[in-house]
Amino acid sequence: MNHDRPGVIRGAVATPHSDATAAALDTLRGGGNAIDAALAAAAILTVVYPNQCSIGGDAIALIGDVDGSVTVINGSGRAASHLDVDVFRSARDAMPVTGAHTVTVPGVLSAWQSLASRWGSRPLSAALSRAAELADEGFPVAPGVARGLAHEANALAGDAGARDVFFRAGGVLTAGQELRLPRLAETLSRLASDGIGQFYGGEIGQRLVSTLRNMGSSLDVDDLIRHEVTIERPHAMTFRGDEYLSAGGNSQGTYFLQALGALDRVAERLGRVPDPLGADAPVVARILGAAAASRDAMLGDSTVAALDIDEVLGSARLDAIAAQALEGGAVPVNLDQAPIERRKGDTVAIVAADSDGRWVSLIQSAFHAFGSCVVDPATGILLHNRGASFVLTPGAAGELGPGRRPPHTLMPVLVRRAGELIGAHGTMGGRAQPQIHAHLALQLALGGDAASAVSASRWILGQLEAGPAAENDSISIACEGDAPSEVASRLAAAGFVVGTIPQHDDVAGHTQLVRKAGPGAFAAATDPRADGAAGTAEQDAG
């Protein structure tokens, strides 16, 4: 760009990896819109951040259009249509956390294609081609990826495809070492040239299914062919005058909105915004605990377990949660002994906006760090473990079933004020995403700017992910070490078991934020807990 000529702000973006942000900003400077920029970042992230996302994973997005309308793109996939649940249940007491049995139909590519076709100004092939080049050239392992590799070394060592990609001389790659992904590069190039049909029933999908079925999976090519994105309406909740929107269905966004509605009622009664790092920490914790309890009891495939929105987001429910929180009601029973699952990774959030009024919050995921820890040797595709969220309890909302969508942690967020879109929020954080979004909303309402809101200390309540947890992580609340000391004391006095995690720990999530900062101006911020970058893009005015 010629900096001697005046420019105009084209847009803004934040992602958890600097290479992805650079690709998005280049796209904006080249005349692409916010959706093009988000897709450029999303494709790069499946290459450079394999601990958190993959084209073998899922995605859910919120798109805000120039007229202020908001649409949900739900790309989450389903369990195998020919799965015999009785046979599956007879062989185990709970869902596995890794391996081929945790792989549901990956929906990332279908979500990307839907975004590009409906709102993009560039073909999806542009994003896929750039990602293919980077995968082929190689890149240094980011610190966050290295932490995930060290933590998941044993699980990855059990898969031949993963060993080939992530190990060198008997050990996992470390930060700064070069990672090249030639087979994934070939796959991405093929998808760019021939289209995503190569995945959903074509040769790439057939190879993937062959690998999975050899490992005992019930998925078949027809499951890939039948996969469809669903276009949905968001749910909304007003908090301190702003309208927050998130996904419903099998997404846990509804429970964030429930917590936000109760927090708004608390703010009305207190005459101030409750401070999660001050005297109000126990009140905030009780509200977040109530929302988490609702999630666990009610979240599942909405075509099987239809959600009563009036029950979840109705005034009676919100008033009751707020009243109990203020009165010092008991901590929800299911959270008293809930351990924190310390597996690293899980999700990336990409947020972007452009000067024409388009906004996007795109969340994509491998679920746990490196997902199922299965890498298909033929295609280089790492597969997620989203099926680990199912439960085997008969009649449960999240019960495993043929063709069902699992309960989903992904929950993009957009914000409107007086009908105008003003914010795109996103975070990594597994089951704690509603809590992290609540912390972010509270920090903004307390007057924080974008940078201070994403970097503020957090505490996280309850178990983050499915699967067994380490014994030394059996705590109800994990409080970052740089939080004010009285926060832990107040939470403990309120009946929570409190433990400490390091400052800016991955467990507390990776938030990404773009906010409107005035006419033609944006503020963008990335979480210091990740390896990301945020910024605005100018374009030559003349």
Side-chain angles (χ1 to χ4, degrees):
M1 176 177 162
N2 181 358
H3 290 280
D4 294 330
R5 302 178 63 187
V8 295
I9 296 297
R10 176 63 186 163
V13 65
T15 87
H17 195 288
S18 56
D19 286 348
T21 300
L25 291 174
D26 285 348
T27 300
L28 287 169
R29 294 183 185 111
N33 65 27
I35 288 77
D36 302 322
L39 290 171
I44 292 293
L45 283 164
T46 62
V47 174
V48 299
Y49 241 33
N51 57 321
Q52 296 195 351
C53 66
S54 164
I55 61 171
D58 275 353
I60 300 177
L62 279 187
I63 301 298
D65 217 332
V66 294
D67 62 357
S69 63
V70 176
T71 304
V72 179
I73 299 295
N74 188 338
S76 61
R78 301 178 181 275
S81 58
H82 296 297
L83 175 68
D84 189 324
V85 178
D86 291 335
V87 171
F88 190 89
R89 188 184 285 118
S90 68
R92 53 190 60 81
D93 296 325
M95 285 297 300
V97 178
T98 59
H101 290 298
T102 67
V103 181
T104 49
V105 174
V108 160
L109 288 166
S110 64
W112 290 355
Q113 185 62 67
S114 183
L115 294 175
S117 299
R118 292 171 63 94
W119 291 283
S121 66
R122 298 181 173 189
L124 179 58
S125 58
L128 292 170
S129 294
R130 182 164 182 165
E133 292 175 3
L134 184 58
D136 188 54
E137 293 168 358
F139 50 90
V141 173
V145 178
R147 291 193 297 272
L149 285 168
H151 199 273
E152 301 302 322
N154 290 339
L156 292 166
D159 179 75
R163 287 197 305 272
D164 184 56
V165 170
F166 297 119
F167 285 71
R168 300 288 186 276
V172 291
L173 291 165
T174 57
Q177 285 189 288
E178 185 183 58
L179 176 57
R180 290 187 65 247
L181 302 167
R183 281 186 291 278
L184 181 60
E186 292 172 3
T187 296
L188 290 167
S189 294
R190 181 77 178 275
L191 291 167
S193 61
D194 297 347
I196 67 167
Q198 283 294 319
F199 186 96
Y200 294 106
E203 184 179 354
I204 292 172
Q206 291 170 23
R207 291 180 176 180
L208 204 66
V209 164
S210 176
T211 295
L212 288 170
R213 291 188 71 85
N214 286 338
M215 295 179 173
S217 170
S218 298
L219 282 174
D220 58 29
V221 174
D222 285 342
D223 290 316
L224 298 180
I225 294 172
R226 281 191 290 266
H227 171 75
E228 291 183 348
V229 165
T230 54
I231 311 299
E232 302 169 4
R233 295 180 61 184
H235 296 298
M237 182 60 60
T238 299
F239 176 69
R240 300 294 81 196
D242 289 339
E243 183 186 23
Y244 280 73
L245 302 102
S246 192
N250 63 323
S251 161
Q252 64 176 346
T254 309
Y255 305 97
F256 159 62
L257 298 177
Q258 183 187 75
L260 210 57
L263 286 168
D264 197 53
R265 282 156 170 75
V266 166
E268 291 174 2
R269 296 226 351 224
L270 294 177
R272 55 180 166 78
V273 176
D275 185 355
L277 298 177
D280 306 315
V283 174
V284 176
R286 293 185 193 104
I287 287 174
L288 297 180
S294 294
R295 174 206 184 278
D296 290 345
M298 304 173 73
L299 186 61
D301 189 327
S302 59
T303 63
V304 177
L307 190 64
D308 185 343
I309 293 300
D310 289 336
E311 162 64 19
V312 178
L313 299 182
S315 294
R317 177 64 175 149
L318 301 181
D319 289 341
I321 293 173
Q324 185 179 48
L326 286 166
E327 292 164 6
V331 179
V333 173
N334 69 317
L335 295 174
D336 279 342
Q337 302 299 323
I340 286 184
E341 169 56 71
R342 288 302 305 268
R343 298 191 65 196
K344 301 289 184 183
D346 115 334
T347 297
V348 296
I350 303 138
V351 294
D354 64 40
S355 55
D356 292 328
R358 300 178 191 86
W359 293 74
V360 57
S361 175
L362 169 61
I363 319 295
Q364 61 189 36
S365 175
F367 193 28
H368 286 163
F370 302 98
S372 64
C373 293
V374 173
V375 176
D376 174 35
T379 63
I381 297 175
L382 172 75
L383 292 155
H384 66 172
N385 67 328
R386 189 54 64 176
S389 285
F390 282 120
V391 298
L392 300 182
T393 307
E399 181 186 4
L400 176 68
R404 291 185 181 180
R405 277 176 162 165
H408 232 288
T409 56
L410 304 191
M411 47 159 296
V413 172
L414 293 181
V415 185
R416 280 192 300 222
R417 180 179 295 161
E420 179 187 11
L421 287 159
I422 63 161
H425 302 188
T427 189
M428 174 270 262
R431 292 161 52 98
Q433 284 184 43
Q435 300 180 47
I436 297 165
H437 274 291
H439 278 278
L440 185 59
L442 287 167
Q443 292 298 335
L444 290 168
L446 286 164
D449 59 16
S452 64
V454 300
S455 60
S457 300
R458 300 181 195 128
W459 44 261
I460 302 299
L461 183 148
Q463 181 172 326
L464 300 185
E465 299 175 352
E471 289 182 5
N472 61 357
D473 290 327
S474 295
I475 54 180
S476 287
I477 287 185
C479 193
E480 286 192 294
D482 62 330
S485 58
E486 59 268 23
V487 174
S489 299
R490 287 176 174 133
L491 290 167
F496 293 91
V497 180
V498 182
T500 302
I501 55 176
Q503 177 184 7
H504 292 163
D505 193 281
D506 289 327
V507 166
H510 298 168
T511 53
Q512 311 300 328
L513 182 63
V514 170
R515 299 279 291 193
K516 190 173 181 64
F522 299 97
T526 188
D527 200 310
R529 299 164 181 84
D531 304 293
T536 57
E538 289 186 355
Q539 187 180 32
D540 285 339

